[in-house]
Amino acid sequence: MTQVQVVGAGECGLPLARRLLDNGVKVTLITDRDPAAVLSGSVTSTQVKFARTLELEAAAGLGAWRTLAPPIRGIRLTVAVDRSPVVTWAAPFDSPAHSVDQRTVFSHHLTEFAAAGGDLQIAPISLTDLDERAADADLTVVTRASGELAACFPADPDWALPAAPMRRLAVVYLDGAEPDPDGMGMFLALPGLGEVVSTATLTGAPGQERRCDNLMFAAVPGGPLDVFTRDSSPAQRLAQATELVERYFPPELARRFRTVELTDSGGTLVGAVTPTMRRPVGLLPSGTPVLGGGDVLCRMDPAGAQGANSAVHCGIHYADAILAHGDGRFDTEWMESTGQQWLTETAHPAARWTMTMLNPPPALNELMMAGGQDPALARAFAATFARPAAMSALGL
């Protein structure tokens, strides 16, 4: 019987492991935190999953929140200077998107994986540990890695990426925000300063979920929005967030966030992401090849709202490829082909979209402005969030 080892229990590793388990494959899932630790920890990101991703999850039996999560019906885009809107428009998605706190998602799926008979191992894993473990598996897939383990996967020379983060990020999960009147997600562009994104979200322990809103500041490094530090307290971050809202948001948007409080002490996150693109196959010190997936191969700024979608697509794609391969040998050629298909069809278009959004060319600025006068154009632009490959049809 095929035996697969999955390292990392996130948006890629969890659906991969569960889909394999449900189809009779022996799976070991290795992660460094148990469900209780995940649930009681800090938020890991913001996340918006669009219709194609939600359909994939539902088909794989992972759509636990399909009827619970508040629908995100589209985008309300505003470009503002000195608190005054330069342009504003709203456009619906073809189908609603959802956002569910990853603490809720990951703790639920970890519990369900173990209950279904999966081999869940809670342990930090070093490069040496993985090299020893890989000898006992037919295939090892690394979906979370840093340091020396991540360095096993070579950088993709075809991508010229910034050597530093394009944005400094801060996230707060909030109770008490005034909902968007049409159920839209907010995308506020502040030229020269950065972007602010907000969506309705589901949070809380599985079975006790409730609606909240998240608010993410994506600050140009060193600019006026870049005020958050890793050593600040949750209360300080909330105070800084509300101050920025009053200072830079147009009044009609600022009003939505005037009576907010944090959902919990873990409802904040501060950090930054250096863009990364790697090749699919890594070599362990012994020479054993391993397949990379998700953030290990493609890591982009979450302000583009693509990471969770790309990762889920990767997990499901890899699972289907493994199941179709049967008891065949998972050699380097198979790994390269399987990983490259996901990169080409999903990850690379999402990465290009994100880079374009964070460093907009004149054509994108003109498109956002024109959306205020042309609803069809606004809707076509909104559709690129769900299908980044559609960006080329708009001349971007």
Side-chain angles (χ1 to χ4, degrees):
M1 176 183 288
T2 299
Q3 182 168 335
V4 177
Q5 178 175 237
V6 178
V7 178
E11 297 283 13
C12 177
L14 282 165
L16 167 59
R18 184 56 193 267
R19 187 162 177 79
L20 292 177
L21 180 67
D22 288 347
N23 283 275
V25 176
K26 187 176 181 181
V27 186
T28 296
L29 178 61
I30 306 167
T31 184
D32 59 356
R33 293 191 298 165
D34 64 22
V38 170
L39 195 59
S40 63
S42 296
V43 294
T44 56
S45 183
T46 57
Q47 61 290 305
V48 176
K49 291 179 180 175
F50 300 102
R52 289 194 305 153
T53 305
L54 297 174
E55 290 164 4
L56 275 180
E57 288 187 322
L62 301 171
W65 301 277
R66 196 77 185 265
T67 61
L68 296 176
I72 303 167
R73 302 191 184 282
I75 298 170
R76 189 177 304 281
L77 181 142
T78 303
V79 180
V81 176
D82 295 331
R83 302 192 70 206
S84 296
V86 177
V87 63
T88 184
W89 49 258
F93 297 136
D94 291 338
S95 297
H98 289 165
S99 174
V100 182
D101 187 337
Q102 288 179 333
R103 296 176 297 178
T104 306
V105 174
F106 298 166
S107 61
H108 171 82
H109 288 330
L110 282 168
T111 300
E112 292 293 305
F113 176 79
D119 179 16
L120 177 61
Q121 299 188 12
I122 310 298
I125 189 161
S126 68
L127 180 60
T128 301
D129 293 334
L130 184 60
D131 208 359
E132 293 175 356
R133 287 172 176 265
D136 297 325
D138 296 301
L139 174 67
T140 295
V141 185
V142 181
T143 69
R144 286 285 181 92
S146 60
E148 60 179 6
L149 181 51
C152 292
F153 296 87
D156 189 334
D158 294 335
W159 283 74
L161 297 172
M166 299 178 70
R167 296 292 187 270
R168 303 288 300 176
L169 304 169
V171 175
V172 288
Y173 277 56
L174 304 170
D175 287 325
E178 179 182 316
D180 181 273
D182 301 309
M184 299 287 184
M186 182 191 81
F187 189 97
L188 172 62
L190 302 171
L193 307 182
E195 301 79 29
V196 187
V197 181
S198 180
T199 65
T201 303
L202 201 68
T203 191
Q208 303 174 37
E209 301 93 339
R210 71 178 192 278
R211 185 197 187 282
C212 69
D213 290 83
N214 62 50
L215 187 62
M216 179 176 68
F217 296 86
V220 172
L225 298 184
D226 187 10
V227 300
F228 300 90
T229 60
R230 293 179 185 271
D231 60 357
S232 59
S233 69
Q236 288 171 323
R237 294 173 186 177
L238 176 61
Q240 289 170 318
T242 54
E243 181 181 350
L244 291 177
V245 166
E246 291 298 333
R247 183 176 298 178
Y248 294 106
F249 281 32
E252 61 272 22
L253 292 180
R255 184 177 60 249
R256 293 183 52 205
F257 301 97
R258 286 196 175 131
T259 59
V260 296
E261 57 185 23
L262 293 176
T263 54
D264 62 284
S265 61
T268 71
L269 176 69
V270 174
V273 173
T274 299
T276 302
M277 195 70 72
R278 296 188 176 101
R279 299 298 305 154
V281 181
L283 290 180
L284 301 177
S286 65
T288 301
V290 292
L291 174 61
D295 285 352
V296 173
L297 301 189
C298 177
R299 186 164 172 80
M300 288 286 152
D301 197 298
Q306 297 301 316
N309 295 275
S310 290
V312 171
H313 282 252
C314 182
I316 299 297
H317 168 64
Y318 282 10
D320 289 347
I322 292 166
L323 295 171
H325 199 58
D327 293 328
R329 183 167 175 261
F330 298 99
D331 56 17
T332 301
E333 183 178 357
W334 181 90
M335 293 183 195
E336 180 71 29
S337 174
T338 300
Q340 189 59 48
Q341 183 179 353
W342 167 69
L343 287 167
T344 300
E345 295 178 358
T346 302
H348 286 171
R352 292 189 187 97
W353 189 95
T354 299
M355 299 288 287
T356 301
M357 286 295 294
L358 298 185
N359 187 22
L364 177 58
N365 291 324
E366 293 169 6
L367 175 62
M368 289 193 292
M369 298 294 287
Q373 305 299 321
D374 186 343
L377 191 59
R379 186 164 186 156
F381 177 68
T384 65
F385 281 80
R387 292 182 178 272
M391 180 178 66
S392 61
L394 296 176
L396 300 174

